[in-house]
Amino acid sequence: IGLVLGLLLPLLGPLWSILLTAGAAFGIGAANFWLYDSAGLVLPMATALLLIAALFICNLGWGYLFEYRNRRAIVNLFGEYVAPELVAEMAANPASYNMEGESRELTVMFSDVRGFTTISEGLQPNELREYINAYLTAMSEDIRGNRGTLDKYIGDAVMAFWGAPIELPDHAARAVTTALKMQQSCLVLNEEFAKRNWPPLKIGIGLNTGNMRVGDMGSKIRKAYTVMGDAVNLSSRLESITKVYGVGVLVGVATRDAAPEFTYRELDRVRVKGKNEPVPIFEPLGLDSELTSAQRASLDKWTAALALVRQQQWDQAEQIILALQQEGPHGLYDLYLQRIAYFRTHPLPQDWDGVTTFETK
């Protein structure tokens, strides 16, 4: 009996362990009663029952300690990166999660404060600490509140991704939702900053979706659970050129395709530093179901103007952009009006493909 229980109990779950233990105890009692009734024999039943109880208690204690150790390991590994509720979800099934490197389709975000050097020069050290802490806290809450994994802070920049360690089928949509929420959070922060005579906060966010390596990476001295790959680099480049187009959020074509519930405005085709192939870039305007008729009309006008620019129809494109500028000023319209003025005086080559090349990061 001891050998059978010793082999089976570690392999069974809590319910089956209880049933097996109860069955063994009942079998001992039934055998003792039958032998006493039929042959007048009295077996040393107490020893067998104590053995069964001891094996069950030892197995139960070991299982609890083993499970607790696994749960604590998950909390220690991922507690810094993901929201507490996600850690609890992962701790419920610790065998499914680890920090080993793997290739997975994810959506990655880079966010950065515009003009942070100027901001830091205008604030006292204690004020700057409060300023950056308030900003990073608000952004981190938005990321973790939408099941994002907070990767790291890089000075005033924030890096995060969606889809690991917990798989999220809608990782791109969650990332776009978070980026738009972060822009709204900046407006709320600016109201508080204005009361303290602090400079306003503006951030640029780049999002991109694609296959990338995710896992515990680094050196023997220090490691971090992070992502690497070409798709990650493109996200960083998109963040850096948001200021060029006067927008708060830029996404790559893969993110747009993976989150079709949003409406996007195509801004340009660009060749970022480090990449030879041009890529289209888009600004998410919001959920398609929430877009107003006026916003749709402006979007249609812009799409027509962008097509005319690519066809080198400068006059017609300029008229549409000027009309859009009167409806609501935007840095994007200023940029293209400047480009049209430049193109008029600088003839383009015959093989011009309408792609903007960036030589800097």
Side-chain angles (χ1 to χ4, degrees), residues 292-311:
T292 66
S293 56
Q295 288 176 310
R296 294 184 190 278
S298 295
L299 179 59
D300 291 340
K301 292 177 184 177
W302 167 254
T303 302
L306 184 61
L308 290 169
V309 169
R310 290 170 175 170
Q311 297 167 14

Side-chain angles (χ1 to χ4, degrees), residues 80-97:
E80 297 182 10
Y81 304 106
V82 300
E85 59 271 17
L86 295 189
V87 175
E89 183 177 329
M90 295 166 63
N93 188 18
S96 300
Y97 304 96

